[in-house]
Amino acid sequence: MHHEGLRESDPEVAALVAAEERREFEKIRMIPSENYVSRAVLEATGSVFTNKYSEGYAGKRYYEGQQCVDPLEEMAIARAKSLFGADHANVQPYSGSPANLAVYFALLKPNDTVMGMALPHGGHLTHGWNVSITGAFFRSVQYGVDAATGRIDMDQVRTLALAERPKLIIAGATAYPRVIDFEAFRRVADEVGAHLLVDMAHIAGLVAGGAHPSPVPHAHVVSTTTHKTLRGPRGAMLLCKEAMAKAVDKAVFPGLQGGPHNHTTAGIAVALREAATPAFREYARQVVANARALAGHLAGCGFKLVSGGTDNHLILMDVTPRGLTGKQYAKALDRAGLECNYNTVPGDPRKPFDPSGLRMGTPAITSRGMKEADMATVAAWFNRVAETPAGAEDRLDAIAAEVREFTRRFPCPGIAVG
Ligand SMILES: *Cc1c(COP(=O)(O)O)cnc(C)c1O
């Protein structure tokens, strides 16, 4: 974008925006929760809707002047319901974490028991991890993945649920490379009389595009961010059955939040329209095909993949067998132009701030048009960085130069540097 107004009035911020555009253009961005939004989403998110206050819901606002916000929010809601086949949608949560907290507030009392996936096994902080408010204000019990298979073991989930009797069970993950059986989670929830929250933040775009089974028919409430595979602005949504609609809406506002971020709602509406197109279905299919191809090449280079591969957009590797730590490797990759994040692996003996694993995914590179054949090239760079001795920065810089040459061929949605 050109940002004339910004360049004129605040050259310092303008310079950082320009530098970030170049950085995002030159690098192979593989953090699986990130993406490139379209120019249309950027424009809607940067619109004058940021100026407007609209506490409440359409037709029941606490401020005047809602002639444009009301139809905007209703449009976003209608598109969300239609895309995911949901009875009800709330598009106001500021982000994924507050969306989940709103569900706790809607369905639980303080100290009620919740059961989610442990953070070091791939769950999110807000699924009851102890440092989170969801672990501090509620009684949290946590399931993990099977140590041998790296997969969720539904027998273990059921046994824990029968023993602990949670009021809320949470399915969904932030670092789990396999399909989640939402129907099986619902059976367990019904057996113990719990509500089921499915947090599909990472996979919402795959669900929208038909590349991952949908949780919507099975969950009492579905939460999602809008900025990961769904390729919208930073924000979140809650989807639910009509019977829970009132409780969910009340929990978001006035329970947890004040005025919704209407510029974000505008961006979400645009992203939802994009996600309903045949081109987006093809995108979702390609994200998974690329992840599968990349996983195959990485395994072929001798990397140890958690669960042995992937069904979705992300890959988790234990890099310690190659004599690396996750952090050391992620930093070397970043220097070489490949952006990932270090991550714990299930049963990790190392600390979360310097764990054994690396997490990576294909949503952003697929938005740039990379295909299966490109994954061999990418995997070869991962291997070369792993083989680069510590301190050989010049060799990492040489790889970064190759990466810059390569990425030039793949335009970034929303970014006009060349
Ligand atoms: C990203 C994520 C969230 C939180 O989203 P924020 O917008 O960062 O608060 C919640 N749950 C899961 C599973 C996620 O992956």
Side-chain angles (χ1 to χ4, degrees):
M1 295 227 264
H2 297 291
H3 312 298
E4 289 86 0
L6 183 59
R7 275 214 307 264
E8 212 165 281
S9 73
D10 193 334
E12 289 169 297
V13 170
L16 287 173
V17 172
E20 176 65 12
E21 285 183 333
R22 175 148 299 278
R23 198 192 66 78
E24 292 188 10
F25 179 77
E26 289 182 343
K27 282 181 116 170
I28 295 182
R29 297 178 55 233
M30 299 190 68
I31 293 172
S33 48
E34 294 183 352
N35 215 323
Y36 295 93
V37 300
S38 68
R39 173 64 68 96
V41 168
L42 278 180
E43 287 178 1
T45 309
S47 70
V48 291
F49 277 117
T50 201
N51 296 336
K52 187 71 198 120
Y53 242 103
S54 57
E55 279 183 2
Y57 293 101
K60 294 165 293 212
R61 305 281 188 188
Y62 292 81
Y63 294 80
E64 296 314 311
Q66 309 300 341
Q67 292 81 1
C68 306
V69 166
D70 275 6
L72 173 73
E73 190 173 323
E74 291 198 311
M75 187 182 294
I77 289 169
R79 288 177 181 176
K81 285 161 64 174
S82 147
L83 182 64
F84 291 107
D87 292 351
H88 179 76
N90 186 308
V91 298
Q92 293 194 2
Y94 298 142
S95 214
S97 302
N100 284 345
L101 194 55
V103 177
Y104 283 67
F105 193 53
L107 302 178
L108 303 171
K109 296 269 173 281
N111 296 320
D112 276 354
T113 300
V114 300
M115 184 174 129
M117 193 173 186
L119 180 79
H121 285 245
H124 191 260
L125 281 164
T126 56
H127 297 182
W129 190 241
N130 55 11
V131 301
S132 154
I133 187 170
T134 59
F137 288 14
F138 300 90
R139 180 178 167 267
S140 169
V141 294
Q142 305 254 279
Y143 60 89
V145 297
D146 180 84
T149 64
R151 293 175 190 246
I152 297 168
D153 174 352
M154 288 310 299
D155 290 332
Q156 192 218 322
V157 169
R158 178 171 174 271
T159 305
L160 190 64
L162 285 169
E164 302 287 351
R165 297 275 155 182
K167 288 251 175 66
L168 178 68
I169 295 177
I170 304 161
T174 188
Y176 185 68
R178 295 299 182 176
V179 164
I180 299 175
D181 186 348
F182 302 123
E183 206 175 338
F185 267 98
R186 178 57 188 262
R187 276 197 299 274
V188 172
D190 284 346
E191 197 176 347
V192 302
H195 281 119
L196 175 64
L197 164 63
V198 172
D199 178 350
M200 64 169 182
H202 259 262
I203 56 170
L206 305 184
V207 170
H212 189 289
S214 173
V216 173
H218 309 294
H220 294 95
V221 184
V222 172
S223 68
T224 183
T225 54
T226 48
H227 48 272
K228 298 179 183 176
T229 50
L230 194 55
R231 220 161 59 181
R234 306 195 80 83
M237 305 191 296
L238 291 170
L239 309 172
C240 65
K241 308 273 184 258
E242 202 51 59
M244 323 222 67
K246 259 210 163 104
V248 163
D249 284 353
K250 264 181 62 187
V252 174
F253 176 87
L256 190 65
Q257 299 187 170
H261 292 180
N262 298 310
H263 57 302
T264 300
T265 306
I268 290 174
V270 173
L272 290 169
R273 182 183 165 123
E274 291 174 357
T277 60
F280 194 89
R281 278 191 93 75
E282 174 51 25
Y283 165 70
R285 190 201 64 75
Q286 189 69 54
V287 166
V288 175
N290 283 351
R292 191 165 297 156
L294 182 63
H297 290 301
L298 290 167
C301 295
F303 284 105
K304 184 179 165 197
L305 275 52
V306 172
S307 85
T310 182
D311 300 326
N312 58 23
H313 63 299
L314 76 81
I315 295 164
L316 191 59
M317 310 197 292
D318 179 354
V319 298
T320 56
R322 299 203 60 169
L324 300 158
T325 73
K327 192 174 192 172
Q328 174 193 17
Y329 187 40
K331 287 198 177 302
L333 285 165
D334 191 52
R335 175 114 190 192
L338 301 135
E339 193 184 353
C340 301
N341 67 276
Y342 58 83
N343 213 97
T344 51
V345 296
D348 205 326
R350 301 182 58 85
K351 292 267 187 302
F353 198 60
D354 188 13
S356 302
L358 187 84
R359 187 183 73 145
M360 64 177 95
T362 52
I365 59 176
T366 306
S367 290
R368 299 186 71 163
M370 292 186 198
K371 297 273 177 5
E372 287 95 324
D374 303 307
M375 297 305 108
T377 312
V378 171
W381 278 318
F382 273 96
N383 195 44
R384 271 172 64 195
V385 173
E387 285 174 350
T388 303
E393 256 81 47
D394 52 325
R395 283 166 63 177
L396 299 176
D397 293 344
I399 295 173
E402 288 174 40
V403 166
R404 275 198 300 280
E405 195 53 40
F406 178 75
T407 54
R408 221 195 279 278
R409 299 196 342 242
F410 302 95
C412 298
I415 297 179
V417 301

